[in-house]
Each structure stands twice: as C-alpha cells, then as structure tokens.
Amino acid sequence: MASDSLSNLPELTVSELSGAVKRTIEGAFERVRVRAELGRVVTARSGHMYLDLKDERATISGVAWKGLAAGFNFRPEEGLEVIAEGKLSTFPGQSKYQIIIDRLEPAGVGALMALLEERKKKLAAEGLFDEARKKPLPYIPERIGVVTSPTGAVIRDILHRLSDRFPSHVLLWPVLVQGEKAAGQIASAISGFNSIEDPKLRPDLLIVARGGGSIEDLWCFNEEVVARAAANSQIPLISAVGHETDWTLIDFVSDYRAPTPTGAAERAVPVRAELMTDIVNLSGRMSSIRARQFERAQTLLRAASRALRTPEALLSGFWQRLDSASAHLGPALRNRISAASQRYHRLSGRLQPRALRSLTADRLKHLDSQQRRAAHALRRASSQKEAELNRLARRLAAQKPQTKAPAEALETQLARLSQAAQRLNERKRDRLVSAFRMLESVNPKGVLARGYALVHTESGLARRAGDLKPGDAIQIEFADGKKAAAVGGKASPRKAAKKTSAPGKQGDLF
C-alpha cells in the first residue's frame, strides 16, 4: 500500500519544487517587520548589501538592493540592533529563505547612542579630542572652503552672513549631508581641500555645515571616516552641524564648534565696519600721541635754546663743583701730609744708622753667599756637561772617525753653556743692584740730603714735639754733620706775607 501511494505522487523537478516553496512562503508572509541584531554585513561591488539578522537562537539572511541601500540614514554595522522591514522570499540557488529589505532603521535612539559612545571612547583614546592639537583660526581668511549641500538653506545663510560682516571669497564643495554615501563624500571633500597646493586656490579656513535633524539624519557626521578626515585636516576647520543642542563626532575633533551654520560664518570673519571704526580710532589716537610728542620736543628745544643763550648757566654747575672740591682739597692734603710725616718718623726710628748698617751687612753677606753657591753650581753643571760632551765625542769618534759632526756638536753645546752661564750671572747681578737700590731708597742719609733733619736728645732720637722741653740740650743732625742747640721758649707768631694771585688766574688753594 505504501508503495502504491508513493507511485501516485507527481514527479517534480528541483526548480519546480523550489518555485512552489517560494510561492508558498511569499504568499504566507507577504510583508514582515523583524527586530534583530546585525551580524555579517557585506556590500558587494554591485552596490547590493547582504547582511544577517540574528537573535539568541536563530539567524535569517537579508538583502537590500542597491537603490534602497544607498538611502539608509546610517551605516549598518555588526552588533547594531535594527528593525528590518520587507518581504520574505527564497533564494533557489542556495535553497534558503531571506528577507528582501526595503526599510532598515536602528532599533530606537538608544542603539545609536551606544554606538556613538563606543566610537567617542575609541577616538578619545587616540588623542583626537585633545585641545593641544587644535589649530588657531585665522583672523581674516582670504578664502573660505565650505563643505555642505549646494541646494539647502545652509549655504545661503553662510553666504548672506559673510557678505554682511566681511565679504570673502567662498569655495563650495557640494556633498550629500544625509544617507549612506554622505560620510564618504564629506571625508573626500575635506581631504580634497587639503590636497590643493596652489596658494591662490587653497582655502585658509574650512566650514563643514548642515541644518538640524534627527540623530538618524545627522548620523553621517558621526561616522569614523568623517571624524578622522576632520582630525587630519591641516587647514583650520569649523564644524556647524545641526542646532546648538546637537553634538556629533566631528564637533569633538574640529578646531572650533559653532552652534549653527550662521554662527560658523560669524566666527569665521570679523565685522568689517567695526574694524574700520577701530582703525579710525587708532589713527586718531596715534595722531594725538604724535602731537603730544611734538609739543614735548618743542618744549625741550626751547628750554635748551634758552640755556645756550647764557653760557654762565651751563657752567654754573661745574663752577660750584670746582669750588666745593677746592674747599675740601686743602684739608685733605694737609691730612695726607701729616700722615706721611708721622709714617716717616716711625720709619726713621726703625732705621737707625747702626741697624741700617747691620741690615746692609747681613743682606750683602746673604747675596754674596747666594752668588758663591750659584757660581759653584754653575761650575759643577758646566763640568758635568763638558764631561758628558767629551764622552759623546769619544763615542762618535770611535764609530765614525772621518766625520766632523761630534766636534761641531761639542762646540755648539759649549757655546750654549757659556751663554747660559752669562745669563745666570746677569740675573744675579741685576738682583744685587736692585737690592742696593732698595737699601739706598730707605737710607735716612738720603732723606737728610733732601732738606730734612734729625733731632737727638740725651735719651735718643726725638720722635714727637712733646718729647722736648724748654732748656733741653739737643743735637740737630743734617746731611753734612751735627749742630748742638737748646730748646727755647714759646716763639711769638709772625704774620705770613699775604700773597696775591695774578689777575685772571686762580689763587693758591692752600
């Protein structure tokens, strides 16, 4: 019976069976909506996207055709929770069923925010958010490059604001600002502006701008490729994406974040009218400063001209200084003379004739002893050198009797020794002469020859006037001999003859 029932079944080909299964599945599940986690995500060269939708226990393949995949508001990535909507079908070539996706969106804002936080941590760890790497913006850029959509209101707002504040040359790089392809175009535009080498075309400042929207609409500015392109830009970059409360990854890596595209234009250039006002004010201040400097210079010049008309005014200060110095010079010189006189008396007391003769004899004995020792040492050194030269001459004569070099060398050495001995004797003689000159300089006889005198009492040499009393017998020693004398009473003072200075000459200061 079983074999009879089997033989009654119609025979089908594999293609017919696959087509029947396909029609059954498509008829039973005409349209489905699935919440799942993305697994493998692959985009073919044709532009079609193949992905896996999975949960804890099962996996379903999905495919998004080229036209629909390009319209996604975000880039599907592995691990992202999404909601896929489409038609269930089969692929006979591999005997599997799949979802033909025509709509794909993140499963709530929480999934996108989690992915965004993960990317922020990754880029922050690489140092792309550091303030130290941010570049200063130019004060007045000559050319401004704008990366935005050419058809939106953003570019019109930027151009209008720039024309109001400070008209500048704007270069527009048109890009998509929403969808899957937007991230690649924005990154390429930033890199393209940086690759311009011509200084006449290369912008001084970049503005990446877009109007407001949902997190899905702005997701292309959260792509890693856009953030890295903005971080690698050598041109200072201003990000102006969405409204003031909207933050994307490009805002963290840009050199300046503007709350709106209009705010970016305001930050890019100053107000030209304000600059002109500041220039006028600064010019007026500079003119007033120059006028004050000129007046001050005129005042100084008039004062100098008045001083030049009266030479006495110019010389009055020098005259006063000269008079003051003259008044102080007389007492100072008298003090110096008194100190020198006291020092002389002390030295003359120390240098008695007997002590001087003893010092001179001892010095002469010492010098004579040094000269004898030096002459003895010189003779001994000469004899040693002469013996050494004789030995050298004999050795050379024994080796080469026909040469005359040893004799010539001997004569040269003897001549050098003779010159050395002569120089040594001259140095010793000069030292002896210097010693005699020093002794002669402190000889009290020389002081007496210059008009001074020594006063001798019975107890010795008188050093102070208080040592003498009226009636004491004294001897006054001059350079040519001694004279006896006695100390008298107080002499009456005599008026010194008044000296007058010659007319037109300065008088004696003393």
Side-chain angles (χ1 to χ4, degrees), residues 36-82:
E37 179 184 339
L38 288 179
R40 177 184 61 91
V41 179
V42 177
T43 301
R45 292 184 178 179
S46 60
H48 307 314
M49 182 180 295
Y50 300 91
L51 46 85
D52 292 337
L53 304 174
K54 63 179 183 177
D55 57 12
E56 294 83 358
R57 293 183 297 272
T59 301
I60 299 177
S61 298
V63 58
W65 306 125
K66 177 180 179 181
L68 294 174
F72 291 158
N73 294 329
F74 68 101
R75 181 185 295 275
E77 295 183 3
E78 184 177 355
L80 182 64
E81 188 176 3
V82 298

Side-chain angles (χ1 to χ4, degrees), residues 170-192:
V170 177
L171 301 176
L172 173 64
W173 195 300
V175 295
L176 294 175
V177 293
Q178 184 175 341
E180 184 182 359
K181 294 182 179 180
Q185 292 185 8
I186 295 170
S188 299
I190 296 174
S191 302

Side-chain angles (χ1 to χ4, degrees), residues 351 356 363 432-443:
L351 296 175
L356 181 61
R363 186 63 177 174
L432 183 60
V433 172
S434 298
F436 278 114
R437 288 178 179 174
M438 184 180 296
L439 289 175
E440 186 66 24
S441 65
V442 298
N443 187 1

Side-chain angles (χ1 to χ4, degrees), residues 319-342:
W319 284 343
Q320 291 179 1
R321 290 173 60 186
L322 180 60
D323 294 338
S324 177
S326 300
H328 291 84
L329 185 59
L333 286 178
R334 285 192 291 270
N335 293 335
R336 293 288 297 273
I337 292 173
S338 177
S341 177
Q342 294 177 5

